[in-house]
Amino acid sequence: MKAGILSSILVLAVLGLLAMSHKIPSDFMQETQEETDKRMEWWREARFGMFIHWGIYSVPAGEWKGNKNHGEWIMHHGQIPVEEYEKFAPQFNPVKFNADEWVTIAKEAGMKYIVITSKHHDGFCLFDSEHTTYDIMDATPFKRDIMKELSEACRKQGIQICWYHSIMDWHHP
């Protein structure tokens, strides 16, 4: 094994051991069962909602170099370099997106909430981010904040909006 790789593995192993040796305080770890039940009450009562898994990974539609078995993890599973994967962003232009229509469909079906990927593991944000230009406003021709529009439509129609926001980030490791 090369010295550089070995030293990197050693550093990661030490950091991992240090992280495991310290308990990270968390409000959730301090919750009583009563507090957890109260916090989760709306979820248990809602029972039915929609999960929208959507982002620039929809551009290649699961296909990379002839392999059609990829999904939203296409960047990782297809081992697509960041520079290549970034080329999908300018092609992401969902001109038929209509937040009010999406929420109406969910509500008419009896759904009580919508969960959507605000940022998936590929690092691309479906909102106007202050922390990166790898987002819907700066990297695409669409230039509309999907999360803002969907949030406003949910608020108008009384649907709970939830974000699936990945802390993994293959674009900004």
Side-chain angles (χ1 to χ4, degrees), residues 17-172:
L17 288 172
L18 285 171
M20 288 187 294
S21 68
H22 293 88
K23 285 191 173 183
I24 299 171
S26 167
D27 291 341
F28 298 124
M29 293 171 64
Q30 307 297 323
E31 274 187 342
T32 66
Q33 186 60 47
E34 184 178 312
E35 291 168 328
T36 300
D37 287 342
K38 184 176 181 177
R39 180 173 53 82
M40 293 301 295
E41 185 177 356
W42 80 268
W43 177 268
R44 292 184 183 119
E45 288 178 8
R47 298 179 52 108
F48 183 47
M50 179 189 297
F51 189 107
I52 302 169
H53 214 303
W54 190 38
I56 63 170
Y57 40 83
S58 63
V59 172
E63 184 175 349
W64 181 250
K65 294 190 175 180
N67 184 332
K68 297 180 181 183
N69 296 321
H70 299 293
E72 71 279 358
W73 277 57
I74 190 169
M75 181 180 178
H76 177 74
H77 293 309
Q79 299 178 352
I80 305 172
V82 170
E83 303 78 35
E84 282 296 305
Y85 191 80
E86 284 177 338
K87 293 176 184 175
F88 293 133
Q91 298 173 57
F92 187 72
N93 192 15
V95 294
K96 293 183 179 180
F97 169 70
N98 182 320
D100 290 316
E101 184 179 354
W102 285 22
V103 175
T104 298
I105 290 168
K107 187 170 184 165
E108 288 177 356
M111 295 178 196
K112 304 294 183 199
Y113 63 91
I114 293 175
V115 179
I116 186 167
T117 48
S118 59
K119 179 180 87 72
H120 197 251
H121 313 321
D122 61 8
F124 183 78
C125 303
L126 287 177
F127 59 94
D128 188 12
S129 174
E130 295 176 10
H131 303 287
T132 182
T133 57
Y134 196 50
D135 65 23
I136 193 78
M137 300 298 280
D138 297 304
T140 76
F142 192 61
K143 309 264 185 256
R144 288 172 37 203
D145 188 327
I146 289 171
M147 298 299 100
K148 181 179 179 186
E149 290 181 27
L150 199 55
S151 177
E152 289 170 352
C154 282
R155 191 174 299 113
K156 281 191 290 190
Q157 297 194 47
I159 298 288
Q160 179 73 36
I161 184 76
C162 307
W163 314 120
Y164 174 104
H165 187 88
S166 176
I167 57 172
M168 280 188 357
D169 193 326
W170 302 323
H171 190 263
H172 304 100

